[in-house]
Amino acid sequence: QVHLVESGGGLVQAGGSLKLSCVVSGRTFRSFNMGWFRQAPGKEREFVAKIGSGFSTDYADSVKGRFSISRDNVKNTVYLQMNSLKPEDTAVYYCAATARYFSDLQRRPDYDYWGQGTQVTVSS
């Protein structure tokens, strides 16, 4: 069984920062490609960022230059550093994992394992 547990969400004012963490257990973490997605009320879950097993990264246009994804293969953890937060970043943030390879890893079906989500609320 693979388990993903997110933490680090909370309430922050616009312009502030938060760092999300996702700890993975149950399988060799370094073999996983990891992603962050988010879902705002009434909206579809959308791609935010990904980091491959080889440390390649990619971001949604809406967060480029503000968010940074990283991973620590010793701590079995993936991070999402979020800076210059905006009210439109308010959502439940989910981490996801897959050992499969896809060209962009930006689609929900690309991932096999999901965390329970952590709420991020940005006030104006």
Side-chain angles (χ1 to χ4, degrees):
Q1 271 302 58
V2 177
H3 293 282
L4 286 70
V5 180
E6 302 100 333
S7 63
L11 173 64
V12 64
Q13 288 188 331
S17 298
L18 282 175
K19 186 174 184 177
L20 306 182
S21 301
C22 173
V23 179
V24 181
S25 61
R27 188 168 167 174
T28 305
F29 176 72
R30 65 171 57 88
S31 69
F32 279 134
N33 301 299
M34 300 297 301
W36 284 98
F37 288 72
R38 66 187 180 186
Q39 187 166 15
K43 294 188 176 182
E44 294 289 318
R45 192 172 299 187
E46 64 176 5
F47 168 78
V48 175
K50 71 93 173 175
I51 184 165
S53 58
F55 291 82
S56 63
T57 60
D58 198 8
Y59 299 90
D61 289 342
S62 59
V63 306
K64 278 181 182 176
R66 300 188 299 121
F67 290 13
S68 177
I69 188 171
S70 61
R71 64 190 295 160
D72 184 331
N73 287 350
V74 174
K75 296 182 178 180
N76 291 356
T77 302
V78 62
Y79 304 98
L80 186 68
Q81 176 67 48
M82 305 185 295
N83 299 325
S84 302
L85 283 161
K86 305 175 181 180
E88 50 264 43
D89 295 317
T90 295
V92 177
Y93 283 71
Y94 298 89
C95 72
T98 181
R100 298 180 290 161
Y101 176 78
F102 297 94
S103 59
D104 57 15
L105 288 165
Q106 294 188 11
R107 303 178 310 127
R108 289 181 61 183
D110 295 345
Y111 294 85
D112 299 308
Y113 307 102
W114 292 84
Q116 82 290 349
T118 185
Q119 176 71 47
V120 171
T121 303
V122 184
S123 63
S124 57

